[in-house]
């Protein structure tokens, strides 16, 4: 077996600094990965909330249309203006 050689203090210090740098990078990449995962989860949660809100909006719109008919709502005043329907001319079958 060959005799052991001891590195100089500067060489050992440089190697330890490199090792520390690798550890910091690894830790930062791990934290970034966890943050990315959390952001993806939050994004998915917000997308689901958007879909749920659209469903609720459609259900409410259908309910109000069924109750009041088609028209326009001024959301600030709460005033609803029904849509005017074109009058159909009387046909001989409907005239009395």
């Amino acid at each position: 077996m060959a005799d052991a050689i001891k590195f100089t203090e500067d060489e050992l210090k440089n190697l330890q600094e490199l090792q520390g740098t690798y550890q910091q990078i690894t830790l930062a990449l791990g934290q970034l990965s966890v943050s990315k995962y959390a952001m993806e989860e939050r994004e998915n949660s917000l997308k689901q909330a958007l879909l749920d809100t659209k469903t609720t909006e459609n259900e409410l719109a259908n309910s109000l249309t069924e109750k009041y008919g088609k028209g326009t709502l001024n959301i600030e005043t709460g005033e609803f203006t029904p849509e005017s329907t074109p009058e159909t001319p009387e046909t001989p079958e409907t005239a009395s």
Side-chain angles (χ1 to χ4, degrees), residues 5-22:
I5 300 172
K6 191 164 185 166
F7 287 168
T8 66
E9 285 186 32
D10 284 342
E11 291 169 332
L12 191 55
K13 180 181 172 193
N14 288 338
L15 288 169
Q16 289 170 340
E17 285 176 1
L18 280 173
Q19 184 180 27
T21 300
Y22 275 117

Side-chain angles (χ1 to χ4, degrees), residues 1 9 22 34 37 45 54 60 62 65-66 68 73 84:
M1 188 182 319
E9 285 186 32
Y22 275 117
V34 169
Y37 176 77
S45 174
K54 285 182 177 183
L60 180 58
N62 290 337
T65 299
E66 187 176 309
Y68 296 104
L73 171 65
S84 59

Side-chain angles (χ1 to χ4, degrees), residues 4-87:
I5 300 172
K6 191 164 185 166
F7 287 168
T8 66
E9 285 186 32
D10 284 342
E11 291 169 332
L12 191 55
K13 180 181 172 193
N14 288 338
L15 288 169
Q16 289 170 340
E17 285 176 1
L18 280 173
Q19 184 180 27
T21 300
Y22 275 117
Q23 288 175 343
Q24 289 174 347
I25 291 170
T26 301
L27 178 64
L29 284 172
Q31 290 172 334
L32 182 61
S33 180
V34 169
S35 294
K36 183 179 176 183
Y37 176 77
M39 286 177 52
E40 288 172 356
E41 287 293 311
R42 178 70 175 141
E43 181 181 6
N44 290 337
S45 174
L46 288 170
K47 285 179 179 178
Q48 185 60 51
L50 179 61
L51 291 174
D52 294 345
T53 301
K54 285 182 177 183
T55 299
T56 301
E57 177 187 29
N58 288 336
E59 290 171 353
L60 180 58
N62 290 337
S63 172
L64 293 174
T65 299
E66 187 176 309
K67 183 174 182 179
Y68 296 104
K70 291 185 178 185
T72 305
L73 171 65
N74 181 328
I75 197 80
E76 293 176 13
T77 66
E79 186 175 292
F80 177 77
T81 306
E83 188 177 277
S84 59
T85 56
E87 291 186 28

